[in-house]
Amino acid sequence: MNKLHFILLVVFVLLLNACATKKQKVNDSDFPRLENPFFGQKPPGSIPEIFAPSVISAGHGELAAAFSPDLQKFYFRKYDEGLENDALVALQYKDNLWTETFVVPRGEISPDGQILYVGNEYREQTPSGWSEVKSLGAPFDSIPIMRLTASSKGTYYFDDVSSFGDKPPIVHIRYSRLINGKHDKPRTLGIDTGTKLKFHPFIAPDESYIIFDSKLENGNADIYISFRRQDGSWGAAIKLGNKINTELSDVYGSVTSDGKYFFFTRTLSNGKKNTMWVDAGFIEALRPK
């Protein structure tokens, strides 16, 4: 086992046994100096690749990976049978120093990087770190939400799993606009995929497109995209190609703030979850002309 892998293993073991939020730092002359915010990796092409397999996918499943808007922090949900709950982990590289911290059980970073949405709750970025959890208030506090993302205008897009236990189960994507400082009544986003289960919406900061995954009740999930038309309505759902969607479950898509890379989670046949990344040029190729 080389020194890099040994250091990372020690970091993970210490964090998994921690009772409270704490930081674990690594500073070693042999630790690689990464030349870009993507862990020094060669950018992917049109075929998805596992992201940072020796750092992010080193023995643990992961979900909901995303970079901060400034691309200086990487957040992902560590998901493993050894954990009672999955945990959001932040990785930061600064001045030859890696820091890894369990932040909260889960969350979605706002476009400005100042708010961490946790279902129907949120945390705010403060000089000393993330604040305590606060409620989004009515009507969101009564809606079970798996993933909520926000546009630059403050519009919320989220999956409402209130009817997930119904027969057949139903999951809608809803949205709520920010008007005069308050969010209006959530409305259902009318995008048809031929299924009743739509999850994990990612809204573009300018709301020009939305990415989400959808599945049949007993099938694997695939990722879709829909583009907003000039009149404000949404176009037909477009299923991403077979390079991204496979016979496995492909979910939880997001795009980096620079628009260059698309990240998503792929669940392997053994249940392990891998963070994948691919060049995001396919988005413009799919956009209706």
Side-chain angles (χ1 to χ4, degrees), residues 3-251:
K3 181 170 289 187
L4 170 58
H5 287 175
F6 176 77
I7 291 171
L8 291 170
L9 177 60
V10 171
V11 170
F12 277 117
V13 170
L14 289 174
L15 287 169
L16 289 174
N17 288 282
C19 296
T21 298
K22 58 176 68 177
K23 294 182 178 180
Q24 179 68 32
K25 299 179 179 179
V26 178
N27 192 4
D28 191 293
S29 59
D30 291 336
F31 199 86
R33 172 177 287 277
L34 305 182
E35 300 299 333
N36 63 53
F38 300 105
F39 293 82
Q41 295 184 108
K42 179 182 177 181
S46 60
I47 298 176
E49 301 176 9
I50 298 176
F51 180 71
S54 63
V55 179
I56 305 302
S57 302
H60 296 275
E62 64 278 347
L63 180 69
F67 275 91
S68 60
D70 62 5
L71 303 179
Q72 296 303 302
K73 295 185 182 71
F74 182 73
Y75 298 90
F76 68 99
R77 283 167 61 188
K78 186 182 294 183
Y79 184 87
D80 187 77
E81 292 180 356
L83 299 174
E84 293 184 3
N85 297 295
D86 55 355
L88 186 70
V89 177
L91 295 176
Q92 182 179 19
Y93 189 73
K94 183 179 180 180
D95 300 329
N96 274 342
L97 186 69
W98 272 102
T99 303
E100 183 184 71
T101 307
F102 280 101
V103 184
V104 292
R106 56 191 176 92
E108 299 293 334
I109 306 298
S110 64
D112 62 5
Q114 297 304 301
I115 298 177
L116 185 70
Y117 294 105
V118 188
N120 53 21
E121 300 175 318
Y122 70 99
R123 295 176 185 245
E124 294 178 300
Q125 183 72 270
T126 71
S128 59
W130 293 106
S131 71
E132 294 299 315
V133 174
K134 304 176 183 180
S135 173
L136 289 175
F140 308 102
D141 54 3
S142 62
I143 302 174
I145 298 172
M146 293 181 64
R147 186 188 197 186
L148 183 151
T149 57
S151 71
S152 296
K153 295 190 297 186
T155 304
Y156 292 161
Y157 289 80
F158 58 92
D159 45 9
D160 179 350
V161 297
S162 301
S163 301
F164 186 64
D166 292 357
K167 298 295 183 181
I170 300 173
V171 178
H172 293 295
I173 292 177
R174 302 192 190 280
Y175 68 98
S176 172
R177 298 171 299 172
L178 183 63
I179 301 175
N180 297 325
K182 294 184 179 181
H183 280 90
D184 65 359
K185 180 180 179 180
R187 306 178 186 184
T188 299
L189 197 67
I191 301 175
D192 184 27
T193 60
T195 77
K196 296 183 180 297
L197 298 173
K198 305 178 186 71
F199 301 94
H200 312 134
F202 170 82
I203 188 65
D206 63 359
E207 297 186 53
S208 62
Y209 62 84
I210 186 169
I211 293 172
F212 59 96
D213 42 272
S214 182
K215 58 172 287 187
L216 296 172
E217 183 175 355
N218 297 312
N220 287 327
D222 288 322
I223 304 175
Y224 293 77
I225 189 170
S226 173
F227 294 92
R228 187 187 287 276
R229 300 186 180 107
Q230 290 186 351
D231 64 2
S233 64
W234 289 94
I238 302 172
K239 192 173 182 178
L240 302 189
N242 57 15
K243 293 179 181 178
I244 292 176
N245 289 319
T246 65
E247 71 279 3
L248 304 171
S249 185
D250 300 291
V251 300

Side-chain angles (χ1 to χ4, degrees), residues 223-285:
I223 304 175
Y224 293 77
I225 189 170
S226 173
F227 294 92
R228 187 187 287 276
R229 300 186 180 107
Q230 290 186 351
D231 64 2
S233 64
W234 289 94
I238 302 172
K239 192 173 182 178
L240 302 189
N242 57 15
K243 293 179 181 178
I244 292 176
N245 289 319
T246 65
E247 71 279 3
L248 304 171
S249 185
D250 300 291
V251 300
Y252 235 101
S254 64
V255 180
T256 53
S257 60
D258 59 6
K260 292 182 178 180
Y261 306 109
F262 177 66
F263 281 77
F264 65 99
T265 298
R266 175 169 292 163
T267 302
L268 306 182
S269 56
N270 62 5
K272 187 179 186 299
K273 302 177 189 299
N274 279 340
T275 294
M276 312 295 293
W277 69 324
V278 66
D279 188 289
F282 69 88
I283 293 177
E284 288 307 312

